[in-house]
């Protein structure tokens, strides 16, 4: 990646021009950059392109037909894959996918949370509606999604068993609300999960890690429990034979932001739910990794080499 000068021009019909103050960095940006995005949901983009799925900033020009926003409004967005391009000081973006950011939510907190929390909203409210008393197995529990999901599930009254790759991530997983943090490089996470649950297994596994953990995780889920796959930081899961699900009668589903956030009304409802959760104090704020925009290469290097906990934010 390198920084270049590019004039985005004036917004077209239905668009805003946004002067950005904070930009979220997501693992999906790494997939796009490396060209390892899952073939069914994310297009391999022709190079050069501008990565980035979420941002916060001020409206500085309004396109024809936009009535809900005015110049100077402070707004945020978490985009779908067709509208990537957030790594910029100024950009154009569809107005119907933006929303006003309440004044009590800081720019950096919003950029750190929104895309991931909108994803988590779909996962814990729709893929598997988490409720008090549930026991959850969550991989990469100290990561960006992991931090948000564990805090939200803990808030809902679930018991979260988190996995992390090193001892130095344990404290963050526990601070996120995990009742147990398993260092899966040192300990068999399936055996430990079964031990914690008295042999029963968890109600649901949320997996954003993919091939390295997917198949063994099925053995840690209770009879008639659910596996929600939502990512593949370690690589795409191989095709699965339904027989793998038969023994315990498991349910398997795959979350995709492209699907769950395609409909604007559904996306806006998820965003509103997330804003409410932020305002209700569900998430710890101010504990994100912040990089200047021109250190974006450094930010990606840290994220893909597993040196980060929580979310990463670029500041122009
Ligand atoms: N489906 C969707 O629409 C959607 C939306 C948002 C995010 N996602 C997915 O959710 C996952 C988490 O996203 P995030 O942005 O919050 O990232 P993240 O969790 O902050 O970073 C990825 C984490 O995955 C773990 N990991 C395991 N194997 C890895 C490997 N080989 N290389 C790198 N990391 C590895 C690492 O944690 P440990 O070191 O503790 O193992 C790492 O910190 C990603 O797979 C992402 O693509 C999917």
């Amino acid at each position: 990646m390198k920084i270049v000068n590019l004039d985005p021009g004036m917004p077209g019909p239905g668009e805003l021009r946004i002067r950005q103050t904070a930009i979220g960095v997501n693992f999906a940006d790494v997939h796009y950059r490396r060209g390892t995005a899952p073939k069914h949901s994310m297009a391999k983009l022709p190079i050069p392109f501008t990565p980035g799925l979420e941002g916060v900033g001020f409206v500085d020009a309004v396109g024809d037909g936009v009535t809900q926003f005015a110049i100077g409004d402070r707004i945020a967005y978490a985009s779908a894959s067709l509208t990537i391009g957030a790594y910029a000081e100024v950009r154009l973006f569809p107005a119907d996918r933006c929303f006003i950011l309440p004044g009590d939510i800081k720019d950096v907190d919003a950029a750190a949370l929104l895309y991931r929390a909108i994803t988590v909203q779909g996962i814990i409210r729709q893929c598997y509606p988490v409720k008090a008393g549930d026991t959850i197995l969550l991989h990469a529990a100290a990561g960006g999604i992991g931090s948000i999901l564990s805090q939200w599930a803990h808030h809902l009254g679930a018991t979260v068993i988190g996995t992390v790759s090193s001892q130095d991530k344990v404290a963050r997983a526990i601070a996120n609300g995990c009742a147990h943090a398993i260092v899966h490089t040192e300990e068999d996470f399936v055996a430990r999960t079964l031990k914690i649950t008295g042999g029963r297994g968890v109600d649901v596994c949320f997996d954003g890690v993919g091939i390295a953990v997917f198949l063994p995780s099925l053995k840690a889920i209770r009879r008639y429990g659910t596996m929600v796959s939502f990512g593949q930081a370690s690589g795409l899961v191989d095709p699965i034979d339904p027989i793998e699900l038969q023994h315990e009668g498991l349910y398997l589903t795959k979350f995709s932001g492209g699907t769950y956030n395609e409909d604007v009304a559904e996306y806006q409802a998820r965003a509103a739910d997330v804003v409410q959760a932020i305002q209700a104090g569900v998430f710890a704020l101010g504990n994100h990794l912040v990089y200047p925009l021109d250190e974006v290469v450094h930010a990606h290097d840290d994220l893909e080499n597993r040196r980060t906990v929580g979310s990463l934010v670029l500041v122009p």
Side-chain angles (χ1 to χ4, degrees):
M1 287 178 288
K2 63 178 180 185
I3 306 270
V4 296
N5 285 319
L6 194 70
D7 180 357
M10 292 303 287
E15 284 185 335
L16 301 175
R17 193 173 66 193
I18 306 166
R19 184 159 294 278
Q20 303 198 118
T21 52
I23 300 151
V25 177
N26 291 278
F27 207 89
D29 305 344
V30 172
H31 282 312
Y32 278 118
R33 198 207 73 231
R34 293 198 298 214
T36 52
K39 57 180 182 286
H40 298 300
S41 58
M42 296 161 147
K44 192 165 179 173
L45 296 169
I47 291 172
F49 67 91
T50 307
L53 295 162
E54 68 182 318
V56 175
F58 293 92
V59 175
D60 84 348
V62 174
D64 284 348
V66 176
T67 54
Q68 70 273 47
F69 298 109
I71 290 173
D73 282 348
R74 185 170 164 263
I75 53 128
Y77 63 88
S79 67
S81 46
L82 293 176
T83 48
I84 79 166
Y87 290 6
E89 292 172 321
V90 183
R91 72 166 303 186
L92 307 178
F93 196 78
D96 64 355
R97 293 200 159 259
C98 295
F99 45 91
I100 296 280
L101 196 59
D104 56 343
I105 301 178
K106 295 195 170 112
D107 298 16
V108 165
D109 287 323
L113 291 169
L114 288 170
Y115 179 78
R116 290 180 169 95
I118 289 170
T119 300
V120 169
Q121 202 275 1
I123 292 170
I124 67 165
R125 297 258 200 239
Q126 195 165 339
C127 290
Y128 176 91
V130 170
K131 55 191 183 311
D134 281 342
T135 302
I136 292 168
L137 175 61
L138 170 66
H139 293 300
I145 290 261
S147 294
I148 292 166
L149 200 157
S150 46
Q151 290 178 84
W152 208 340
H154 174 71
H155 177 81
L156 292 170
T159 299
V160 184
I161 302 169
T163 73
V164 294
S165 62
S166 59
Q167 284 292 349
D168 55 357
K169 293 186 177 182
V170 167
R172 179 61 178 251
I174 298 293
N176 289 338
C178 290
H180 309 269
I182 305 173
V183 182
H184 63 80
T185 48
E186 297 176 3
E187 198 178 357
D188 178 342
F189 75 84
V190 175
R192 175 82 187 282
T193 301
L194 290 173
K195 191 168 174 204
I196 291 167
T197 57
R200 174 179 178 264
V202 295
D203 297 294
V204 59
C205 173
F206 295 122
D207 173 26
V209 166
I211 188 155
V213 299
F214 180 88
L215 278 181
S217 297
L218 298 179
K219 308 270 183 264
I221 303 173
R222 70 162 166 84
R223 179 155 296 187
Y224 310 135
T226 302
M227 164 58 104
V228 180
S229 163
F230 63 89
Q232 43 278 319
S234 68
L236 282 167
V237 175
D238 290 324
I240 175 170
D241 186 330
I243 290 285
E244 301 284 351
L245 308 172
Q246 165 182 303
H247 185 57
E248 295 298 346
L250 302 182
Y251 295 84
L252 166 64
T253 189
K254 171 80 169 71
F255 175 89
S256 158
T259 305
Y260 278 64
N261 296 319
E262 184 178 24
D263 180 84
V264 169
E266 273 185 52
Y267 157 79
Q268 288 285 3
R270 292 189 204 290
D273 193 15
V274 164
V275 166
Q276 223 170 41
I278 296 172
Q279 291 181 307
V282 172
F283 311 113
L285 303 175
N287 56 354
H288 322 295
L289 298 166
V290 180
Y291 303 74
L293 179 59
D294 58 12
E295 282 188 30
V296 60
V297 170
H298 180 191
H300 270 227
D301 192 47
D302 285 345
L303 181 59
E304 65 189 312
N305 288 300
R306 307 168 82 159
R307 287 194 292 268
T308 63
V309 292
S311 295
L312 297 79
V313 177
L314 301 171
V315 176

